[in-house]
Amino acid sequence: MEDKINALIEKGVVPTTQRLIVFQYLKGSKTHPTADNIYNALKKRHPIFSRATVYNTLFIFKEAGIIQELTLDKKEVHYDPNPVPHHHFYCKVCKDILNIDIECSVAKKRDIHGHKVEDVQSTFYGVCKRCLKNEQ
Amino acid sequence: MEDKINALIEKGVVPTTQRLIVFQYLKGSKTHPTADNIYNALKKRHPIFSRATVYNTLFIFKEAGIIQELTLDKKEVHYDPNPVPHHHFYCKVCKDILNIDIECSVAKKRDIHGHKVEDVQSTFYGVCKRCLKNEQ
DNA sequence: CTCTAACATTAGAATTATTCTAAAACAATA
DNA sequence: TATTGTTTTAGAATAATTCTAATGTTAGAG
């Protein structure tokens, strides 16, 4: 727990109880949850937990560079516990979001035609391997 | 007008009056309008025009490959009159969406780690050239 | 330790982009 | 012209997110 508190402090985030719970949940997650996913998961264990706090916390974490916001789904925002930009694959069938590890020099640029790049999002949309197999 | 009608027919879209109006608006646009932008622009000239029709039409056009849906803004969906995937730059300051013409082999892939790719969206977020200049 | 000011959390209301609904209008064809 | 399927419409419904104002918590100064 001590290490989590320090992780938040190092990023300039006041380590409140709620923020630590959200932080722990995110870092233990291998998926790309939505605010609602997080709210519902935490609500079970901690009945007094507000939606607004989840949204506020995610905003704070994103600003601090602790997590990454993914706007690849037009319905809702997803969050990636890994703040380092990387490619994603969004399956239209099962709605799963997969991390794609691929070398890409374009995505590393910090300057494009004179515009200052701060973030990058690269998403492939289609049908994932597993759903392709099930379709047959 | 005849050529626009044919363009829709060729893509398998029934060329109704409303669809032609939306098509004309989009193809004459150099920006990346939202459904609401389109609705408001058309409403002025054609008072009897429903929001639902704009949404339906954009959906039909997207499915037909006439336009491209951009989910790069968490607030609302933008539409690109150009259906060919290309990179975009989203300015956090002026909220402008710019087309980025850059060679990228990764974005051309139709198969990633066994997943079937149908669409790609690559977006850079930051501050555009113009806003950088104004900031000084 | 205690006070205080700044900050964080809460429940629920408000907002707003998008989708749904059911009726009316229209198009195409026989 | 009648029929059938498709499209459009206005407005209601939905749902993700943000706002609000009251309450609770934190951390640093004294």
Side-chain angles (χ1 to χ4, degrees):
Chain A
M1 183 47 65
E2 194 59 34
D3 56 331
K4 276 165 194 133
I5 291 172
N6 288 329
L8 292 190
I9 290 171
E10 267 168 35
K11 294 285 186 176
V13 174
V14 177
T16 65
T17 309
Q18 287 85 340
R19 287 176 185 173
L20 285 165
I21 292 169
V22 173
F23 184 75
Q24 182 155 11
Y25 177 82
L26 282 169
K27 294 302 177 180
S29 168
K30 292 201 182 303
T31 61
H32 302 82
T34 63
D36 209 57
N37 292 156
I38 298 167
Y39 172 74
N40 286 314
L42 299 185
K43 190 77 179 179
K44 281 182 201 150
R45 301 179 231 156
H46 313 272
I48 297 169
F49 215 104
S50 163
R51 267 209 160 71
T53 299
V54 173
Y55 280 97
N56 287 341
T57 302
L58 291 170
F59 176 81
I60 294 278
F61 283 6
K62 180 195 67 173
E63 292 294 297
I66 293 170
I67 61 172
Q68 192 180 167
E69 197 176 76
L70 304 179
T71 56
L72 43 73
D73 176 359
K74 75 179 192 181
K75 199 162 142 281
E76 50 197 332
V77 176
H78 292 256
Y79 291 88
D80 192 326
N82 178 4
V84 179
H86 52 277
H87 290 64
H88 290 98
F89 185 92
Y90 181 94
C91 178
K92 288 173 177 179
V93 178
C94 66
K95 314 294 184 203
D96 230 26
I97 296 168
L98 306 168
N99 293 319
I100 299 291
D101 186 13
I102 191 168
E103 174 63 25
C104 178
S105 57
V106 171
K108 284 179 186 156
K109 292 188 176 294
R110 305 278 81 198
D111 178 295
I112 294 266
H113 302 169
H115 310 304
K116 188 173 98 190
V117 178
E118 291 169 0
D119 282 302
V120 184
Q121 273 190 67
S122 302
T123 313
F124 297 98
Y125 296 84
V127 184
C128 77
K129 206 194 290 189
R130 187 144 50 99
C131 288
L132 280 174
K133 195 175 277 177
N134 293 342
E135 269 180 3
Q136 294 161 0
Chain B
M1 184 48 66
E2 195 59 34
D3 55 332
K4 276 162 193 135
I5 292 173
N6 288 329
L8 294 190
I9 291 172
E10 267 167 34
K11 294 285 186 177
V13 174
V14 176
T16 65
T17 307
Q18 286 87 340
R19 288 175 185 170
L20 285 165
I21 292 168
V22 174
F23 184 75
Q24 182 156 12
Y25 177 84
L26 281 169
K27 294 302 177 180
S29 168
K30 292 204 181 300
T31 61
H32 301 83
T34 63
D36 209 58
N37 293 155
I38 298 167
Y39 172 74
N40 286 314
L42 299 183
K43 190 77 180 180
K44 281 182 202 150
R45 300 179 234 157
H46 313 272
I48 297 167
F49 215 102
S50 163
R51 267 208 160 70
T53 299
V54 173
Y55 280 98
N56 288 341
T57 301
L58 292 170
F59 176 80
I60 294 277
F61 283 5
K62 181 195 67 173
E63 292 294 297
I66 293 170
I67 61 172
Q68 194 179 166
E69 196 175 75
L70 304 179
T71 56
L72 43 73
D73 175 359
K74 76 180 192 180
K75 198 162 143 280
E76 49 196 333
V77 175
H78 292 256
Y79 291 88
D80 192 325
N82 178 3
V84 180
H86 52 278
H87 290 64
H88 290 98
F89 185 91
Y90 181 93
C91 178
K92 288 173 178 179
V93 179
C94 67
K95 315 292 183 202
D96 231 25
I97 296 167
L98 306 168
N99 292 319
I100 299 291
D101 187 15
I102 191 168
E103 175 62 27
C104 179
S105 57
V106 171
K108 284 179 186 156
K109 291 188 177 294
R110 304 279 82 197
D111 179 295
I112 294 267
H113 301 170
H115 311 303
K116 189 173 96 190
V117 178
E118 290 169 1
D119 283 301
V120 184
Q121 273 189 67
S122 303
T123 313
F124 297 99
Y125 296 84
V127 184
C128 75
K129 207 193 291 188
R130 187 143 50 100
C131 288
L132 280 175
K133 196 175 276 177
N134 292 343
E135 269 179 6
Q136 293 161 1

